Amino acid sequence: MAKLKIQKVCENCSKVFDAQRTTTRYCSHKCNSVHYKLKARDSKINKANADTIKVVNKPIEDIKTKEFLSVSQTAKLIGCSRQAIYKMINSGRLKASIIMVKKTIIKRSDIELMLEQAITEKQPRMYL
Ligand SMILES: [Zn+2]
């Protein structure tokens, strides 16, 4: 019985080769192991990236559970600049306690209160 000849393209080097089986994906054992290593490296990189995202998001997760926040934490939570938070405090829209020099704390419930008031404002202003 004649050997089955299947033309396939190597998934690693893109060379056309004669495969003995339809499931063969590489022209040689070398290509097979090279590609396998690359895939292993890719998954390592993906895992590292996922870990980085976790580390980056962790502070926000911590903030979410806190009752008292600093100005920077509040800024991070709402997603605006610290200057914007100071403006809100100075204009009286956001309640804050200055417990010592350069230490302003904001109660989480006051942030929620401010947000609610902003929503129920009867005449929404346009900022252009
Ligand atoms: Zn190959």
Side-chain angles (χ1 to χ4, degrees):
M1 207 168 112
K3 250 192 190 169
L4 205 60
K5 267 197 180 173
I6 308 146
Q7 289 232 302
K8 299 238 354 176
V9 178
C10 174
E11 285 185 29
N12 181 56
C13 68
S14 302
K15 200 176 91 178
V16 177
F17 67 100
D18 294 330
Q20 315 257 313
R21 277 174 295 171
T22 53
T23 50
T24 310
R25 294 163 63 193
Y26 308 98
C27 68
S28 61
H29 182 73
K30 194 176 147 241
C31 276
N32 192 345
S33 61
V34 166
H35 203 248
Y36 181 80
K37 270 181 204 154
L38 279 178
K39 271 171 90 177
R41 198 195 63 181
D42 278 356
S43 70
K44 262 186 202 162
I45 291 170
N46 287 340
K47 199 191 167 291
N49 284 342
D51 287 348
T52 306
I53 289 165
K54 261 187 224 159
V55 171
V56 169
N57 285 335
K58 196 173 180 298
I60 302 236
E61 291 302 315
D62 287 347
I63 292 167
K64 277 180 184 166
T65 59
K66 276 193 176 123
E67 184 57 29
F68 299 101
L69 304 174
S70 70
V71 171
S72 3
Q73 285 171 330
T74 307
K76 214 174 258 177
L77 187 71
I78 301 179
C80 63
S81 66
R82 291 174 63 224
Q83 284 89 335
I85 300 295
Y86 280 118
K87 262 189 200 167
M88 289 175 202
I89 294 169
N90 289 334
S91 68
R93 292 182 70 194
L94 181 59
K95 265 214 275 179
S97 311
I98 299 154
I99 54 167
M100 59 180 111
V101 179
K102 286 186 180 176
K103 187 75 189 168
T104 304
I105 57 156
I106 297 146
K107 245 177 102 179
R108 216 192 141 69
S109 51
D110 285 331
I111 299 171
E112 279 155 24
L113 192 73
M114 180 198 65
L115 293 175
E116 273 169 35
Q117 283 170 344
I119 293 164
T120 52
E121 249 175 41
K122 289 223 169 77
Q123 287 176 310
R125 272 168 252 154
M126 297 279 277
Y127 296 100
L128 297 169

